Amino acid sequence: MLWNFGVKDKPTFIKGIGAGGSIMGLKFNLLNSNQFYACSMEGTTRLQDFRGNTIRVFARTDCCNIWFCSLDVSASSRVLVTGDNVGHVILLNTDGKELWNLRMHKKKATHVALNPCCDWLLATASVDQTVKLWDLRQVKGKDSFLYSLPHSQPVNSACFSPDGARLLTTDQRNEIRVYSASQWDSPVSLIPHPHRHFQHLTPIKVTWHPRYNLIVVGRYPDPNFKSCIPYESRTVDIFDGNSGKLLCQLYDPESSGIVSLNEFNPMGDTLASAMGYHVLIWSKEKAGP
């Protein structure tokens, strides 16, 4: 669905295929505002327009047991990267030519991210409990990574900060990590936070504010978590990216579901939070100081 959240018009709706068609990753085409890239459990990574037309299929599994679950695109370098549920990562140019296809992880490649300020630097995350950093100019095989960052739990995501100097990872239990370009192989900050994995819940992923050093993530209260209190709310938590200190929490009592995904607009003054069947829009005017 595509809609202008400031106008109460009906959204643009593109009908899916039903069961098995879950979209696992979506990116706007920055070179054409009427198009977007998507990967899905249908087994394709493709470019579509908002009329429902498929412009190009970049990758196809042709197997119901293998599907794509992550993607990223660089408009400046004209490349697309996509990962599947058995650990393969494919690099293509935006004309559709495959540059390489390698099994970079032992299990599902849950997240792939290109550095926004250094397009040759790729981060991949996996349920094999690792995050790996790669130089796209020097990838020759599964062992040609720059760094392998071991985690104690499977990893949902690894995303670069807007300035490209830091990396933020989310595991499937209760830890957020911040890495720095000054020392990629060791986290500069560990933030305890309850966001445990549940198979029927969209995996919770942490994200950056586009302009300030702030970290945003949905909370899934865990009675076994050290700081858990009775009847703890399912909030959206905002942390200081330097200190790891919890700065504030957002909560809507009328929509008390678990927020799995958060995304800011480019200006950073509006936040969209996705929970179940609902998307909440937070703005500075409505949220207050």
Side-chain angles (χ1 to χ4, degrees):
M1 302 181 75
L2 176 74
W3 76 97
N4 182 341
F5 60 81
V7 180
K8 294 183 178 180
D9 290 340
K10 289 185 177 181
T12 298
F13 177 73
I14 302 175
K15 187 177 181 180
I17 65 171
S22 297
I23 293 176
M24 310 300 289
L26 187 150
K27 295 283 182 179
F28 284 105
N29 182 2
L30 297 183
L31 302 177
N32 187 328
S33 60
N34 294 315
Q35 298 175 352
F36 65 94
Y37 298 90
C39 64
S40 73
M41 292 186 71
E42 178 191 15
T44 62
T45 294
R46 60 192 183 276
L47 177 65
Q48 291 186 231
D49 64 22
F50 288 107
R51 295 179 178 177
N53 302 312
T54 297
I55 309 300
R56 173 175 284 122
V57 175
F58 287 90
R60 185 190 303 273
T61 65
D62 294 319
C63 175
C64 63
N65 295 321
I66 301 176
W67 61 86
F68 294 102
C69 43
S70 52
L71 75 87
D72 200 5
V73 182
S74 170
S76 58
S77 294
R78 303 292 182 95
V79 296
L80 177 148
V81 60
T82 185
D84 69 22
N85 67 315
V86 293
H88 291 97
V89 179
I90 305 173
L91 180 72
L92 310 103
N93 63 30
T94 50
D95 291 329
K97 180 182 178 181
E98 183 178 295
L99 303 178
W100 45 253
N101 181 344
L102 298 169
R103 192 177 187 195
M104 291 179 159
H105 290 275
K106 296 178 181 179
K107 297 181 180 180
K108 180 190 296 185
T110 53
H111 199 92
V112 295
L114 295 162
N115 190 298
C117 299
C118 187
D119 286 340
W120 53 263
L121 185 59
L122 168 70
T124 60
S126 173
V127 296
D128 68 6
Q129 301 184 22
T130 66
V131 172
K132 295 180 180 180
L133 296 177
W134 311 79
D135 183 340
L136 295 183
R137 303 166 301 181
Q138 300 179 12
V139 172
K140 295 180 174 61
K142 63 179 183 179
D143 297 322
S144 59
F145 51 82
L146 297 175
Y147 299 98
S148 180
L149 315 178
H151 287 61
S152 58
Q153 299 288 333
V155 186
N156 281 341
S157 67
C159 56
F160 289 104
S161 58
D163 63 2
R166 289 157 297 158
L167 182 72
L168 184 63
T169 70
T170 321
D171 74 356
Q172 290 189 356
R173 188 67 186 178
N174 55 23
E175 188 176 75
I176 298 167
R177 297 188 182 190
V178 182
Y179 294 83
S180 171
S182 61
Q183 191 177 4
W184 284 125
D185 58 348
S186 179
V188 296
S189 180
L190 300 176
I191 304 174
H193 182 267
H195 51 255
R196 65 194 189 279
H197 184 70
F198 177 58
Q199 63 177 341
H200 299 301
L201 178 71
T202 298
I204 294 175
K205 299 182 179 183
V206 185
T207 190
W208 294 98
H209 189 280
R211 291 175 173 247
Y212 301 108
N213 189 17
L214 300 174
I215 296 169
V216 183
V217 60
R219 175 178 291 259
Y220 183 7
D222 183 353
N224 297 316
F225 192 65
K226 185 176 180 180
S227 63
C228 185
I229 59 176
Y231 307 107
E232 189 171 78
S233 298
R234 297 168 172 177
T235 55
V236 176
D237 299 345
I238 301 177
F239 292 90
D240 183 298
N242 287 323
S243 66
K245 179 182 178 181
L246 180 63
L247 300 178
C248 70
Q249 294 178 300
L250 303 176
Y251 179 68
D252 182 354
E254 296 182 2
S255 301
S256 58
I258 300 168
V259 174
S260 295
L261 303 174
N262 292 279
E263 189 73 28
F264 283 97
N265 68 339
M267 294 298 294
D269 57 6
T270 303
L271 172 68
S273 299
M275 61 163 72
Y277 294 100
H278 304 283
V279 175
L280 304 181
I281 303 296
W282 311 89
S283 64
K284 182 177 180 181
E285 293 77 9
K286 295 180 180 179

